[in-house]
Amino acid sequence: MTRTVGILIFDGIEVLDLGGPFEVLSVATRLAGRDGEVAPFQPVLIGASAAPAVGRGGFRVLPHATLDDHPPLDVLIVPGGVMDVPLADPRVRDWVRSQAAWVEVLASICTGAFLLAGAGLLDGRRVTTHWEDQADLQAQFPALTVVPDVAWVDSGAVVTSGGISAGIDMTLHLVERLHSRALAERTARQMEFRWSGQGLLEGVTP
């Protein structure tokens, strides 16, 4: 089974929040292909429009699809960065909320949690975000509970991670959860990434 993984892109995106998960998914798929498997993951970059997204440092990236023309998603990842643009766009918020009703896993990295929280998708959940933004997330959205000092929190339908490189750790966890521990470990080794696995697993068995 190939899972289509949407990654939202927008102006102000943190580059590694995008590139890290994309690399994990593409490397995992390449390694699985060596074993003759059907591609386990198909990452798709999704923008509010077809225009390039300009990330931090001037990094420019083109979407594969838009909010209106993307393929059906199995997983949605919302990266972080400067969130002014996506938070100000009600189309993006409504789209994330609608996707949450259908996808197997909804995930955020870093300050992407603010978009999920603003859409009402984190109420009653334990979550995490970048250490610098944890107090703000808790203060703005008291219906959720921020967990410090973990790379990610998996509460089943929703997975949130800390900042930047923690998104790589979280995506390796998703590879383990949705495919296998063996493929996640091979992927981390291929990337020469020291996978911590220091997350909080709430009622989910990989």
Side-chain angles (χ1 to χ4, degrees):
M1 172 184 176
T2 300
R3 286 181 170 89
T4 301
V5 182
I7 304 176
L8 181 68
I9 64 171
F10 48 86
D11 288 346
I13 194 171
E14 186 72 51
V15 175
L16 197 58
D17 282 13
L18 161 64
F22 191 95
E23 182 74 356
V24 170
L25 296 168
S26 61
V27 169
T29 297
R30 186 170 74 245
L31 293 175
R34 292 179 183 176
D35 298 333
E37 289 190 42
V38 172
F41 305 106
Q42 177 60 58
V44 178
L45 306 182
I46 301 173
S49 74
V54 182
R56 285 195 153 175
F59 182 89
R60 295 169 67 87
V61 60
L62 285 168
H64 296 118
T66 71
L67 304 183
D68 301 315
D69 66 6
H70 61 84
L73 303 181
D74 300 293
V75 178
L76 173 60
I77 298 175
V78 176
V82 179
M83 301 301 294
D84 296 352
V85 170
L87 287 174
D89 190 340
R91 287 180 60 240
V92 173
R93 182 190 61 241
D94 293 345
W95 176 80
V96 169
R97 187 185 294 118
S98 69
Q99 292 303 307
W102 295 101
V103 295
E104 183 178 357
V105 180
L106 174 66
S108 69
I109 301 165
C110 193
T111 50
F114 284 81
L115 185 54
L116 270 57
L121 300 171
L122 300 184
D123 290 356
R125 295 185 183 274
R126 300 176 76 186
V127 304
T128 197
T129 188
H130 191 287
W131 62 267
E132 200 170 34
D133 301 289
Q134 290 175 356
D136 284 346
L137 184 64
Q138 187 66 78
Q140 290 184 39
F141 302 100
L144 56 77
T145 301
V146 174
V147 181
D149 303 321
V150 293
W152 44 264
V153 178
D154 186 334
S155 63
V158 177
V159 184
T160 56
S161 88
I164 311 175
S165 64
I168 298 175
D169 207 290
M170 180 198 74
T171 311
L172 287 164
H173 164 67
L174 292 178
V175 172
E176 177 185 13
R177 175 175 159 182
L178 299 174
H179 187 280
S180 67
R181 176 79 181 188
L183 182 58
E185 289 177 341
R186 288 174 63 199
T187 301
R189 178 172 172 76
Q190 184 71 26
M191 294 175 61
E192 297 204 66
F193 181 76
R194 277 48 177 178
W195 184 23
S196 75
Q198 294 177 349
L200 177 61
L201 201 61
E202 297 198 313
V204 179
T205 303

